[in-house]
Amino acid sequence: MTEMLKRYRLTSNEEPTDEMLHALMEDVAQAARESSAKAEAEKKRRLQAVAKEIEEWKRTHRWSVV
């Protein structure tokens, strides 16, 4: 978070400048991108784990597709 945004608090007493709003939106967008990337990586990790479990199960249970 930028230093300017650390100092500014959204209150009814003071209107933010366009620069402040733009900086705030950029910070929020960056946080959203990071969160999305983490979620995507976790989803991929979980899918790979399930695929590995399925392959192990197939190998040990003589399972065949009909």
Side-chain angles (χ1 to χ4, degrees), residues 34-59:
E34 290 170 4
S35 177
S36 180
K38 286 179 185 177
E40 191 62 33
E42 179 64 12
K43 180 180 82 173
K44 184 177 180 180
R45 185 194 67 77
R46 289 182 184 196
L47 287 172
Q48 288 173 340
V50 169
K52 185 177 178 181
E53 287 180 29
I54 290 169
E55 288 303 316
E56 181 63 28
W57 189 88
K58 283 180 183 179
R59 207 173 20 256

Side-chain angles (χ1 to χ4, degrees), residues 11-52:
T11 67
S12 60
N13 299 337
E14 181 184 356
E15 291 292 320
T17 64
D18 287 345
E19 182 184 65
M20 288 176 171
L21 288 175
H22 180 74
L24 179 60
M25 289 189 294
E26 284 296 320
D27 284 352
V28 169
Q30 180 62 33
R33 286 189 292 271
E34 290 170 4
S35 177
S36 180
K38 286 179 185 177
E40 191 62 33
E42 179 64 12
K43 180 180 82 173
K44 184 177 180 180
R45 185 194 67 77
R46 289 182 184 196
L47 287 172
Q48 288 173 340
V50 169
K52 185 177 178 181

